[in-house]
Amino acid sequence: MTDAAHPEPEQAVERFRELLQIPTISHADEALIDWEPFDRFVATVERLYPRLHATLEREIIDGHSLLYRWRGAQAADPLVLMAHIDVVPVVESEWERDPFAAEIVGDGADAEIHARGAIDDKGSLVAILEAVEQLATDGVTPERDLYLAFGHNEETAGGGARAIVATLQERGVRPGLVLDEGGAVVDGVVPGVTVATAMVGVAERGVMTLLLTAREGGGHASTPPAVPATARLARAIDRLHRRPFPTRIAPPVRALFATIAPYAPQPLRWVFGSLGLTGPLLARVFPRLGPEMNAMVRTTAVATQLSGAPGENVLATTARAAINIRLLTGDTVESATERVRRVVADPEVEIEVRHASDPSPVSPWKGDAWRQIASAVTAALGDDVVTTPYIQLGASDSRWFTVISDHVYRFTPFHLTRAERDALHSHNERIRVDVWLRGIRFYRDLIAPAPR
């Protein structure tokens, strides 16, 4: 476990493991949250990173979120590095190892840390802490102010990040660059392209939940009506499944293919580089290439929760489904709700917007902020890695920062395999030690670029 940019990798890994072992689990119902681990996490960070805490100013926001400020040579256009403290719950029986033991498996280049939060998102959070601790120890003063914004409930409500944004907005802070978790360095995500790509989210899809409700008088299941509430609801869900949202190529996706086209073999090079001609065809083909490609070219909708009668022999008086919708750039909460209403085509099915936010604004993939990210990718992760814009498929706390910055990006500086990405929010989450250590160097280069 060696990294030329890190003088003490073993100690860094042990600090990482110690913070991974703290079960900062968030729940949508905050009454279920044990807040003691969150308080312990904050205290442990303070103990493990003394130079950072001696140099930066710290505030606790909204009870458990952290906001740090490192005063630089100038206050204008500060850099904001984001991460979140909380992790999603685990089903321990599904894990091969204790999800909060942070066990190191293997050795050398194959060593992995297995733990909930190893990637999402303590991997980034602790890498940021390590980078700042190193730079502060070296006596570095950043060229511009640096803020570290660590929300405590990104996986649920995102209230911590929103409170941080409100605090910065009240103080007139307008960041020149905001970077949160998001895309990673990946291989082979786009068919025919084998070069490693740093997928930097320049926008993220909107997220909303619609509740579909069908009602009836109820009664005994031995004498069901012609169209019981459960059947009416099932028919509505089936119609949504059979008539998905139309496909199209949004501008960030168009930019993605223009960027990677030179690295694709013919005829794909021409296909990706000629989207004015080939775009409509590609938009129809991509959904067949897997869930990620499908989500890149359309708004998606899926039933995630169902409820009906309280007993097996009772007719449901109310049958309800939660439909999770992720809005592609260009769609809106209003337009998606109206389309669902047309597709369901049943006035007896009530449609209610439960939670909703439109897609984020699109940040530019040109200019100083973009070049700063791309330069750090090259310096820390390799000059053979191609930095490209894309639309982030999931939601993050970064969406709250778009009200105070026009340059909000989403990138996790780790080279991840497909299996590692699939473990997010699932069992056996893990990260390779060497991959994590290289992420520290990325944040160092982003904060204080070395002379080229």
Side-chain angles (χ1 to χ4, degrees), residues 37-58:
F38 288 81
D39 295 332
R40 180 158 35 108
F41 185 92
V42 171
T44 303
V45 166
E46 185 172 6
R47 171 173 57 81
L48 293 178
Y49 298 98
R51 181 61 62 179
L52 181 152
H53 284 83
T55 306
L56 280 65
E57 303 159 17
R58 189 195 75 177

Side-chain angles (χ1 to χ4, degrees), residues 212-216 232 235 344-351:
L212 306 188
T213 305
R215 305 181 191 276
E216 66 175 341
R232 187 178 294 277
R235 184 175 64 189
V344 168
D346 186 345
E348 296 301 316
V349 175
E350 302 170 14
I351 299 176

Side-chain angles (χ1 to χ4, degrees), residues 63-202:
H64 298 90
S65 291
L66 295 174
L67 176 63
Y68 293 88
R69 181 186 182 184
W70 191 358
R71 293 180 183 269
Q74 65 176 30
D77 301 321
L79 167 64
V80 177
L81 297 180
M82 299 178 61
H84 60 87
I85 296 168
D86 61 322
V87 299
V88 295
V90 300
V91 180
E92 291 196 27
S93 61
E94 296 178 349
W95 285 66
E96 295 177 7
R97 294 173 174 82
D98 182 341
F100 292 106
E103 181 181 351
I104 296 180
V105 179
D107 52 30
D110 296 325
E112 300 175 325
I113 302 176
H114 286 239
R116 171 61 84 222
I119 296 175
D120 187 13
D121 183 35
K122 289 180 182 174
S124 290
L125 190 152
V126 183
I128 292 169
L129 292 173
E130 290 289 331
V132 173
E133 181 79 3
Q134 292 174 25
L135 291 169
T137 300
D138 292 343
V140 170
T141 298
E143 292 183 2
R144 50 182 171 161
D145 280 7
L146 169 68
Y147 289 89
L148 310 182
F150 301 150
H152 72 275
N153 56 358
E154 188 273 348
E155 298 290 2
T156 55
R162 279 181 286 177
I164 289 174
V165 169
T167 299
L168 295 177
Q169 189 171 30
E170 183 178 301
R171 295 171 184 172
V173 176
R174 188 159 185 84
L177 169 57
V178 177
L179 185 67
D180 195 7
E181 63 174 334
V185 179
V186 297
D187 301 297
V189 167
V190 177
V193 178
T194 58
V195 66
T197 50
M199 309 287 282
V200 180
V202 296

Side-chain angles (χ1 to χ4, degrees), residues 345-375:
D346 186 345
E348 296 301 316
V349 175
E350 302 170 14
I351 299 176
E352 174 192 353
V353 178
R354 182 72 179 275
H355 308 290
S357 62
D358 286 323
S360 74
V362 179
S363 294
W365 48 89
K366 294 180 180 179
D368 291 342
W370 179 261
R371 283 192 294 272
Q372 189 176 353
I373 295 172
S375 295

Side-chain angles (χ1 to χ4, degrees), residues 201-345:
V202 296
E204 61 183 47
R205 300 194 300 169
V207 57
M208 60 185 291
T209 296
L210 293 181
L211 292 184
L212 306 188
T213 305
R215 305 181 191 276
E216 66 175 341
H220 200 283
S222 63
T223 55
V227 185
T230 49
R232 187 178 294 277
L233 181 66
R235 184 175 64 189
I237 295 171
D238 184 60
R239 287 173 176 171
L240 287 175
H241 179 70
R242 290 176 179 272
R243 292 184 58 191
F245 282 76
T247 60
R248 57 188 169 80
I249 297 187
V253 178
R254 192 176 296 273
L256 162 64
F257 285 99
T259 301
I260 64 172
Y263 305 94
Q266 293 290 12
L268 288 178
R269 182 180 306 173
W270 177 84
V271 171
F272 294 160
S274 307
L275 290 185
L277 297 173
T278 62
L281 175 61
L282 286 179
R284 292 195 297 272
V285 170
F286 283 167
R288 304 175 189 176
L289 302 179
E292 286 186 342
M293 297 302 292
N294 176 59
M296 200 177 292
V297 295
R298 66 154 44 107
T299 290
T300 56
V302 61
T304 54
Q305 292 180 315
L306 299 170
S307 62
E312 295 178 1
N313 62 346
V314 179
L315 291 175
T317 57
T318 301
R320 180 170 288 125
I323 309 297
N324 187 266
I325 298 177
R326 301 301 174 111
L327 299 162
L328 186 64
T329 298
D331 287 340
T332 65
V333 171
E334 182 179 1
S335 66
T337 304
E338 182 55 34
R339 188 180 191 281
V340 168
R341 201 179 304 279
R342 291 197 308 271
V343 170
V344 168

